[in-house]
Amino acid sequence: QVQLVESGGGLVQAGGSLRLSCAASGSIFSINAMGWYRQAPGKQRELVAAITSGGSINYADSVKGRFTISRDNAKNTVYLQMTSLKPEDTAVYYCKIELGPAIDYWGQGTQVTVSS
């Protein structure tokens, strides 16, 4: 059974930085992609950043230049370094790991709150 544990969320002032971590454990033999999503109250969950096994990276336009996704393959861990945070970044952030087509596992979510 695969489990994803997120950490690093919290309260930060606008312009500040925060780093999220998501560590996966369990029956993992290969990972196709890892990503971060976020969901604010009343809004749909949206992709923030993703990285494939081949190293391709995709960011939402709203976070380009401010967020950086990275991974540690040896630890099955994905990170999201967030800088220049804005109040509109406030949301619950979820990590997702894709082990294959339609084989996804989600983290429990971590709250990120950016004060103005």
Side-chain angles (χ1 to χ4, degrees):
Q1 185 173 346
V2 176
Q3 182 180 11
L4 276 61
V5 179
E6 299 182 32
S7 62
L11 176 64
V12 65
Q13 295 183 188
S17 300
L18 208 60
R19 188 175 77 160
L20 306 182
S21 299
C22 177
S25 61
S27 301
I28 301 173
F29 296 96
S30 63
I31 298 175
N32 287 350
M34 298 175 284
W36 290 93
Y37 294 72
R38 67 186 181 188
Q39 187 168 23
K43 297 184 178 180
Q44 292 187 343
R45 187 172 300 185
E46 64 174 347
L47 174 68
V48 176
I51 183 168
T52 70
S53 60
S56 297
I57 295 174
N58 186 49
Y59 294 102
D61 288 340
S62 60
V63 307
K64 286 182 178 178
R66 299 189 297 118
F67 291 10
T68 302
I69 187 171
S70 62
R71 66 187 180 192
D72 185 333
N73 291 334
K75 298 180 179 180
N76 286 331
T77 300
V78 61
Y79 305 93
L80 185 67
Q81 179 66 50
M82 304 183 292
T83 62
S84 301
L85 283 162
K86 305 174 181 179
E88 49 263 46
D89 294 319
T90 296
V92 177
Y93 284 70
Y94 300 88
C95 68
K96 185 184 79 172
I97 292 184
E98 178 183 310
L99 302 183
I103 305 176
D104 302 329
Y105 290 88
W106 291 86
Q108 80 280 8
T110 184
Q111 177 70 47
V112 172
T113 302
V114 184
S115 62
S116 60

